Every structure is written in structure tokens, then in C-alpha cells.
Amino acid sequence: MSDRRLGRREFLASGAAVAGTAIAGCTGGSGGSDDTITIGVLEDRSGNFALVGDPKHKATLLAIEEINEAGGIDGREIEVFDPDPQSDNQRYQELTRRAINEEEVDVLWAGYSSATREAIRPIIDREDQLYFYTTQYEGGVCDQNVFAVGPTARQQLGSVLPYLVEEYGTDIYTIAADYNFGQLSADWVKVLANENGANVVGEEFIPLSNSQFGSTINRIQEADPDFVMSMLVGANHTSFYEQKASAGLEVPIGTSTAMAQGYEHRRLDPPAMENIYAGGNYMEEVPTTRNTEDGGFVDRYFEMWPDAPYLNEEAETNYFSVYMYKEAVEQAGTTDQEEVKTALESGISYPAPEAPEGEEISLDPETHHVDHHMWVLRADGEHNVEAVDDRVIPETFLTETVGCDLTAEDEETQYTPQDFFEEAG
């Protein structure tokens, strides 16, 4: 591959992309035969992120099986390259290189954490690999090769934080994982607090290795906030919820991570998750007919994976994005990655059953993000979950604040709230 990359619009205009072909390496995969399409699925099935990664892997395979049973994509069967990255970012880098250069995947799904995404994104961009990142995340990625189709912090926190301000008050204490996702999410809490007449009275960043929260709980009790915003992640951080219940900490907690991802309300004994409010695009319990009706998404998932413990937020996003890819390939008439990206940028929407979170999923062409149906779901003292609020929330940071437009200009940037909001500093 040349040191000088040809921009995608320049590439397409040059006539180098030929319909019906798929070029290995920089411009496309076609690792299988002409009769197959190769999809890379690098999702954690062991290690610190296995609880959230394993459902992502399972839901991706469900979508692939359904598509293959229905005749494939344009009559071509999907083959899968899916080794376990084991929650290890170095292994992710190695497997990403192998997926692109040896397996020649036509498209890649990979990774739970933002740290993983940022570890492999330079490889993705160097090779111009079509990549779906499906985790709810801190937001801001404006990248020609990346379709970040999970909800952003502006969407997640923008659903639950205003609700809690209205219900409980204006003083907020933030606890977040000590890496890219947690730090930028905490900045979004400050921005949203300012927009909703609230203020952050305390803020802590917790290393991923930490599982003891006694001092954090003491500081929260001393600060006496109206509610806590929690962006904790991974198996170690789960212990916070058990420890806060044992300590008698009864303050309401809003979260963009708990329950929807790690299904703590199913795994922990009550009342660990009492009065936890999750803002997310999906939980197994979301009350839509296409999700919970007979033969709906939940039934189909557990029919294929009867021993699976839970169907989480990212699993649904993996699922519908495979259908998103299918429609784009069929629209483009080729698996050539540059043409598929352009098809995705034409604006693709999905009704049921491929979008069980709500009436429709819409991909924004300019930003490669999704306008999600967002839910606020609350767990009671017995860990029963009820939806207390729902609305469609577009991704406005990249569109309105940044002005990201990948249909007009190729970028490979992550913007942060500190770039635009004084209160985020």
C-alpha cells in the first residue's frame, strides 16, 4: 500500500472501484470464495470484558445465521472469522492485522472498550478497513472507516441525567472508569449538568483493576449528592453495587453502563441494584412487541443460545448492524468496502424485527452514528426492571457542535467535549 492514501471520494471518482468485485488489502476483503462473504467478529469471550463481549458475539452469530438461512447477502453465504481476543488489547491488534491481511475480511466487528477501539483504530485507518464499533461509548469519533453505531454519551447520559435532575435534584457525584471512556463521559456529565441547571459536587476515576469501594462510598456519603452518575465498567467494578448496598448508601444512581451491559440486576442479589436508573438503547426487558412478543428478538436469541445468561445492550447493536451491512452490500451490488461505505452513507433505516429497541433505527450519513430510541429503565428492590422514560435522541454532538460530515470530507478524528465546552475542562 502506498504511503499516500487515496481519499475515498477520490478513489470512487477515479473509477478504481469496479462493481461486483472485492479487492483484498486496503480497499476490500473477499477472504472467502466468490460465493462467500467473510465477516470478522472479534468480541471478548474471556477476560475482564467477557460478560459484555460474549452476548455481542452470540447476537452477531444469530444475525448471520438468520441471513444465511434466508439466502445470504445477494445470494452469497457469510463465513465468520471469530477468534477470542480475551479482553487483551495487544491481542486485539494482532487479530485485527490477521483479519485484514490474512483472512481478508470484508467487514469487521471488534471490541467492547474504547481503549480497545483506540488500540486498533490506527490499524483500521491505515488499511481503510470497514469497521463497526457497537458499544455505547463516550462519543466524538468522526472517522471515514468507523461506523460507531452504539449510543454516545450525549444520548445515554442525555436520557437519564435530565430525568434524575427533575426527579431528585441538582447535586451530582460522578464515579467513572479511569480511561478514555470514563474520563470523557464524566466531561459529558459536566456539560449536561450545566445544560440542566445542575452541578457536579464530586468526581472520582476508578482504575479498572479496583474492586474495593469503601473510601469512595464514604466520600459519596460525605458529599450528600441528590444522585450519583456511574460510568463503571468491567467485572471488578461490579462490586461497587454490592458494597454500596451493604453500606446503606441509598442515593439514586444513574448509569450508562450498569444493567444494560453487565446485567448486574440478574447477577447480583437484591437490593444491590435498587434505585439504579440505566440510560440505554436496549435491555432485554425493553417493552416493545418486536423485542418481547412470541418469536421476537428475545425468543430468537435464546432459541439459538438457550444457556445464555442475558441479552444485553451491545448484543442488540451488533445484531441490527449486521443487517445494516447486508442492506448496504445489496444496495452497492458489491462487497468492495469503499462502495459499501458509500451505500451506508446513503442513509439506511431499519424497522422491526431488525431493530427491537424501537420503531426504527436510522443511520446518520454524515457522522456514521445512529439516532437511537433511548430508554430509562429502573430496578426496584427486588431487581424488577421497569421503563420510566423513553424517547428518540439523535446524535447531536458531531452533527451540530463539531460539524462532522464524512460524506464531504474524509476524517479520522475523535473530538472531545473539552474541545467545545468550557465547563468540560
Side-chain angles (χ1 to χ4, degrees):
M1 182 174 177
S2 167
D3 288 338
R4 179 186 180 275
R5 281 183 312 164
L6 200 61
R8 179 148 51 92
R9 274 89 203 160
E10 190 178 355
F11 173 85
L12 291 172
S14 73
V18 180
T21 67
I23 304 166
C26 299
T27 57
S30 194
S33 71
D34 290 341
D35 297 325
T36 62
I37 292 172
T38 304
I39 287 181
V41 184
L42 305 181
E43 302 288 7
D44 301 308
R45 308 200 298 279
S46 60
N48 192 36
F49 295 128
L51 276 170
V52 288
D54 190 59
K56 295 179 73 180
H57 177 254
K58 285 179 166 61
T60 311
L61 296 188
L62 170 62
I64 290 169
E65 179 176 271
E66 290 177 351
I67 291 169
N68 279 342
E69 287 181 349
I73 299 177
D74 257 352
R76 298 170 65 182
E77 186 174 66
I78 299 169
E79 294 182 345
V80 180
F81 171 68
D82 63 342
D84 179 9
Q86 302 170 0
S87 305
D88 183 305
N89 286 345
Q90 183 175 346
R91 181 167 166 80
Y92 261 108
Q93 292 173 324
E94 294 167 354
L95 291 175
T96 298
R97 293 188 190 99
R98 178 180 165 192
I100 297 170
N101 297 319
E102 298 179 31
E103 303 297 329
E104 299 181 353
V105 298
D106 294 292
V107 60
L108 181 66
W109 277 258
Y112 166 72
S113 78
S114 292
T116 294
R117 184 196 67 241
E118 291 307 293
I120 67 172
R121 196 158 66 92
I123 304 169
I124 297 292
D125 288 334
R126 184 167 60 249
E127 303 293 345
D128 285 332
Q129 172 66 45
L130 172 56
Y131 169 45
F132 282 91
Y133 179 66
T134 60
T135 303
Q136 59 81 28
Y137 85 114
E138 70 281 357
V141 171
C142 176
D143 190 312
Q144 60 183 326
N145 302 306
V146 179
F147 288 80
V149 292
T152 66
R154 197 108 166 87
Q155 293 170 300
Q156 308 145 38
L157 303 174
S159 62
V160 69
L161 187 149
Y163 178 86
L164 293 175
V165 168
E166 183 175 339
E167 291 291 317
Y168 293 107
T170 58
D171 288 348
I172 305 168
Y173 197 103
T174 297
I175 53 175
D178 191 13
Y179 73 105
N180 187 23
F181 163 74
Q183 293 154 1
L184 294 180
S185 294
D187 285 343
W188 277 114
V189 170
K190 295 175 188 173
V191 172
L192 289 162
N194 182 65
E195 292 177 355
N196 288 274
N199 59 95
V200 176
V201 299
E203 182 182 74
E204 290 189 38
F205 297 100
I206 314 297
L208 291 172
S209 60
N210 187 72
S211 61
Q212 297 300 316
F213 288 89
S215 58
T216 295
I217 291 167
N218 289 337
R219 284 189 287 269
I220 293 172
Q221 291 171 324
E222 291 170 3
D224 192 26
D226 294 310
F227 63 94
V228 170
M229 288 303 301
S230 169
M231 284 76 69
L232 301 177
V233 302
N236 293 324
H237 285 183
T238 300
S239 58
F240 166 77
Y241 300 100
E242 296 171 303
Q243 291 171 31
K244 68 91 179 170
S246 296
L249 181 65
E250 297 180 350
V251 62
I253 297 176
T255 180
S256 62
T257 52
M259 297 202 304
Q261 297 185 51
Y263 43 99
E264 291 86 351
H265 62 300
R266 295 286 186 89
R267 296 189 294 111
L268 305 182
D269 292 333
M273 304 305 289
E274 182 176 11
N275 228 16
I276 306 294
Y277 293 78
N281 64 305
Y282 181 81
M283 287 176 62
E284 186 180 305
E285 295 87 353
V286 296
T288 65
T289 54
R290 63 201 56 80
N291 186 53
T292 56
E293 69 183 358
D294 289 345
F297 183 47
V298 174
D299 279 358
R300 298 196 305 276
Y301 181 82
F302 286 104
E303 181 178 352
M304 183 170 182
W305 306 105
D307 296 326
Y310 191 73
L311 183 47
N312 72 350
E313 181 178 38
E314 281 81 13
E316 188 252 4
T317 310
N318 276 56
Y319 177 83
F320 77 67
S321 57
V322 175
Y323 278 94
M324 198 172 271
Y325 173 73
K326 173 182 183 291
E327 181 157 328
V329 170
E330 292 176 345
Q331 180 177 314
T334 175
T335 54
D336 179 276
Q337 294 188 29
E338 302 308 320
E339 295 201 34
V340 174
K341 292 170 193 173
T342 299
L344 287 164
E345 289 175 353
S346 69
I348 288 177
S349 298
Y350 292 91
E354 291 86 1
E357 71 185 53
E359 293 297 329
E360 189 176 72
I361 294 291
S362 297
L363 180 67
D364 179 65
E366 287 80 11
T367 66
H368 296 184
H369 285 62
V370 166
D371 294 341
H372 280 284
H373 193 118
M374 300 301 297
W375 298 83
V376 178
L377 295 114
R378 173 186 176 271
D380 65 16
E382 297 301 319
H383 290 190
N384 300 307
V385 171
E386 65 170 336
V388 296
D389 193 34
D390 68 284
R391 67 190 79 177
V392 174
I393 300 182
E395 203 305 295
T396 58
F397 175 53
L398 286 172
T399 53
E400 297 179 7
T401 306
V402 174
C404 169
D405 186 355
L406 293 165
T407 65
E409 182 178 0
D410 290 348
E411 284 197 56
E412 296 171 357
T413 308
Q414 181 172 19
Y415 296 94
T416 73
Q418 290 190 14
D419 297 330
F420 297 91
F421 298 98
E422 183 178 351
E423 59 270 26

